[in-house]
């Protein structure tokens, strides 16, 4: 049983090291991405706009937050599943 935990630990270590190595080597990370909303309009206050009834900002903000939550969940699920599969084989 301890071997499974060791294998899961190694899977986590390899995933972290691969991510750290991959991040600076990613050619798309600076130029290809669309600008962050704060870079496009740094003075936009989402809370004030939503309170004023600006539905466009509210819907956009909701989509950004929702997609972020889904993406984080997918990454966590993939890491857990990869660790389990690595431990079982």
């Amino acid at each position: 049983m301890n071997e499974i935990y060791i294998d899961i630990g190694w899977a986590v270590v390899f995933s972290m090291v691969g991510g750290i190595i991959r991040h600076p080597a990613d050619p798309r990370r600076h130029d290809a991405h669309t600008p962050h909303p704060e870079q496009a309009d740094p003075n936009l206050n989402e809370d004030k706009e939503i309170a004023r009834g600006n539905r466009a900002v509210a819907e956009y903000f909701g989509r950004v937050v929702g997609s972020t939550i889904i993406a984080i969940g997918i990454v966590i699920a993939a890491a857990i599943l990869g660790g389990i599969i690595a431990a079982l084989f």
Side-chain angles (χ1 to χ4, degrees):
M1 190 68 174
N2 286 337
E3 187 176 327
I4 292 174
Y5 293 122
I6 293 171
D7 290 342
I8 289 174
W10 278 113
V12 169
V13 168
F14 287 134
S15 297
M16 296 294 280
V17 169
I20 291 169
I21 291 172
R22 170 84 165 94
H23 179 68
D26 190 358
R28 301 169 295 154
R29 73 182 172 123
H30 293 296
D31 300 329
H33 296 296
T34 57
H36 195 270
E38 291 175 1
Q39 292 173 345
D41 189 4
N43 298 323
L44 180 67
N45 188 346
E46 291 91 358
D47 295 332
K48 286 183 182 177
E49 293 293 329
I50 292 170
R52 286 182 12 193
N54 189 343
R55 286 192 53 184
V57 171
E59 289 179 13
Y60 176 76
F61 190 68
R63 288 181 183 147
V64 169
V65 171
S67 62
T68 302
I69 291 170
I70 291 171
I72 290 171
I74 290 171
V75 168
I76 291 171
I80 292 171
L81 184 61
I84 291 171
I85 290 173
L88 294 177
F89 293 105

